[in-house]
Amino acid sequence: QVQLVESGGGLVQAGGSLRLSCVASGRTFSRLTMGWFRQAPGKEREFVTAITWSGSTTYYADSVKGRFTISRDNAKNTVFLQMNSLKPEDTAVYYCAADEYSGIYNFRAPNYWGQGTQVTVSS
């Protein structure tokens, strides 16, 4: 089992930045592919980004490419999501996710999920 706890969400104006964190416990963090999803009100949960166990390769949804950056610190069992140039359409609950078998390009149904953190971008 893997437990994931997100933090760092909040309210920010359009054009601003936020940094989300996700701390993992319960399994060897360095063996996990990690990623972020989001779910806006009335919409389905969507993939945002994923990162390989080593941190050497990342993958982004087109909607966030160039604005969001995923990174990880295996020594601290933590994955980060730096969000810049935020837009109102980025408003959503952001979920950290982990999986020990998926790669970053098929990170669609990870086994482990956090509880989510709200990000609200005002116009």
Side-chain angles (χ1 to χ4, degrees), residues 29-37 46-62 65 70-72 79 97-110:
F29 182 75
S30 60
R31 297 180 183 273
L32 299 171
T33 299
M34 300 295 298
W36 293 89
F37 288 72
E46 65 173 358
F47 170 81
V48 175
T49 181
I51 187 168
T52 55
W53 65 269
S54 66
S56 61
T57 308
T58 57
Y59 180 56
Y60 297 91
D62 288 343
K65 200 173 297 182
I70 188 172
S71 61
R72 66 190 293 164
V79 63
D99 196 274
E100 59 267 66
Y101 303 115
S102 299
I104 60 172
Y105 302 114
N106 64 340
F107 197 74
R108 293 292 180 257

Side-chain angles (χ1 to χ4, degrees), residues 15-96:
S17 299
L18 279 176
R19 189 192 196 204
L20 306 184
S21 300
C22 172
V23 179
S25 60
R27 280 281 181 102
T28 303
F29 182 75
S30 60
R31 297 180 183 273
L32 299 171
T33 299
M34 300 295 298
W36 293 89
F37 288 72
R38 67 185 182 185
Q39 187 167 20
K43 295 188 177 181
E44 294 186 353
R45 189 176 299 185
E46 65 173 358
F47 170 81
V48 175
T49 181
I51 187 168
T52 55
W53 65 269
S54 66
S56 61
T57 308
T58 57
Y59 180 56
Y60 297 91
D62 288 343
S63 58
V64 306
K65 200 173 297 182
R67 300 187 298 121
F68 290 11
T69 302
I70 188 172
S71 61
R72 66 190 293 164
D73 184 342
N74 286 348
K76 296 182 178 180
N77 289 359
T78 303
V79 63
F80 304 98
L81 181 63
Q82 179 66 44
M83 304 185 293
N84 298 330
S85 302
L86 282 162
K87 305 175 181 179
E89 51 263 43
D90 293 319
T91 295
V93 177
Y94 282 72
Y95 296 91
C96 177

